[in-house]
Amino acid sequence: MTVTIRPAKFSDLDQITTLLLADAEDRHAADPRLWRLDNDARNKTASTIRAAMEAEKPPFRQQWLVAEAAGKLIGVTHSILLPVPPIYAGEFGPPGLIMEDCYIVPDAPAKTRGELLKAAEVDLIEAGAVILLASSVEGGSWENEYVSLGYEALTMYFAKTSLTQERAFSAVRHATEEDVPAIVASSAVHRRVLADLHHLFWKPHDNADNRFGSWMQRSLTLKDRDIFVAGAENRLQGYGISQPATPLHFPTPHDISGVGVIDDFYHSALENPQNLGPNSSGAASLLLRAAEAAREQRGDHSVLVVCPAAWQSKIILLEQAGYHNAISWHIKIAY
């Protein structure tokens, strides 16, 4: 069977939607609570793809590549050029991210997945990407292909679906504007650890402190999130930010309305990325639980916590708190 890889066209929309719904149903079957399906998943998926294809000035580049055989689509990849957060240097420009919503039909020729991924890489490199990223659910069918193409684990997204209902935590409180300088100082340590773990990807911007401070001032005014700090005033040990999930980690067919994300989360007990600090690990756990409980109080059923794959002390803390890895991002440098 001859397989052709090409960019998607508007005329492919119905077939692409069918493929992506099958992909979403596989995730839903594996974890029905985390990967809930939207009540109108087909229309939502089709309209989202159509809007992206028709956008004259999209906020970021998106591309769908399809594998075609005997006049039918048997596979699809979805990639983006990922905007660089303003606190990072981004010396190599936006990374190319091969998204989680990639799929091939069960009876596709054996080489289809590898050919699709290689075509997605070429497309991203031609679009200017130097750093390549690839997303997969834990144990997903694409992970072996990533490894075979030279990708390494970068970031893990730990999930929990039975959230704590506690409301008060000793030495943890909501942040105020007066806490911003101390949060920035704690963030600087956090960024230093990240840079040590992967300097090319997490190299901080020269003006990272000011940029992060401005974002914290702005975040304190946003009503959809909670910012917590741990420790005494002017001697903060850490901070945590819990907020709603975004479509970056959840393909379109899924309902993300009940999922929260704890992205920025740091405590001094985690400063050594290999060993959890023995004297303050309990305080770090309280900070995590406060951020988690805030999402439960807002009606969320699940939470993701972002954790670099090499940050062993944070992994230990999360596993002790009942989290498991749900999604992994892998990295490869394209030069």
Side-chain angles (χ1 to χ4, degrees), residues 22-256:
D23 178 47
E25 287 166 359
D26 285 349
R27 280 187 294 271
H28 175 72
D31 191 339
R33 194 167 188 187
L34 179 63
W35 299 104
R36 291 185 179 183
L37 295 175
D38 190 87
N39 290 332
D40 194 15
R42 174 169 284 276
N43 287 333
K44 179 186 175 188
T45 301
S47 62
T48 299
I49 297 173
R50 178 178 292 278
M53 287 183 171
E54 292 178 340
E56 293 183 2
K57 295 181 179 180
F60 52 87
R61 180 187 188 270
Q62 296 193 72
Q63 177 67 286
W64 285 267
L65 298 180
V66 295
E68 185 176 31
K72 293 184 179 181
L73 300 191
I74 60 171
V76 60
T77 60
H78 177 204
S79 66
I80 69 172
L81 288 181
L82 182 68
V84 177
I87 62 172
Y88 298 114
E91 292 180 349
F92 296 99
L97 171 60
I98 300 171
M99 302 286 279
E100 166 59 31
D101 49 347
C102 299
Y103 184 75
I104 63 168
V105 297
D107 59 350
K111 295 183 179 180
T112 304
R113 182 179 285 112
E115 291 174 353
L116 265 172
L117 284 177
K118 290 176 184 177
E121 285 187 335
V122 170
D123 174 74
L124 288 169
I125 292 169
E126 290 179 348
V130 174
I131 294 175
L132 299 178
L133 305 173
S135 175
S136 172
V137 294
E138 179 70 4
S141 57
W142 295 85
E143 282 191 333
N144 288 338
E145 293 293 339
Y146 298 151
V147 173
S148 70
L149 291 177
Y151 287 82
E152 298 178 349
L154 175 71
T155 303
M156 305 162 80
Y157 295 83
F158 278 76
K160 187 176 181 181
T161 54
S162 297
L163 306 183
T164 181
Q165 298 182 8
E166 296 182 53
R167 297 288 182 262
F169 300 89
S170 59
V172 178
R173 58 179 173 79
H174 276 91
T176 68
E177 189 172 347
E178 288 71 28
D179 294 314
V180 170
I183 294 175
V184 172
S186 186
S187 171
V189 181
H190 183 194
R191 282 179 264 121
R192 176 179 57 76
V193 176
L194 289 172
D196 288 343
L197 294 177
H198 199 295
H199 186 66
L200 286 180
F201 189 74
W202 282 304
K203 181 180 179 180
H205 192 278
D206 289 342
N207 198 30
D209 282 355
N210 289 335
R211 292 183 173 202
F212 186 77
S214 295
W215 176 239
M216 286 299 95
Q217 295 281 0
R218 167 70 173 151
S219 294
L220 285 169
T221 70
L222 300 178
K223 303 302 182 182
D224 65 347
R225 66 200 59 203
D226 296 273
I227 304 177
F228 294 95
V229 292
E233 187 174 356
N234 297 323
R235 295 186 62 185
L236 295 187
Q237 294 176 311
Y239 66 99
I241 304 172
S242 68
Q243 59 198 47
T246 73
L248 181 62
H249 305 108
F250 286 79
T252 305
H254 295 289
D255 177 5
I256 65 172

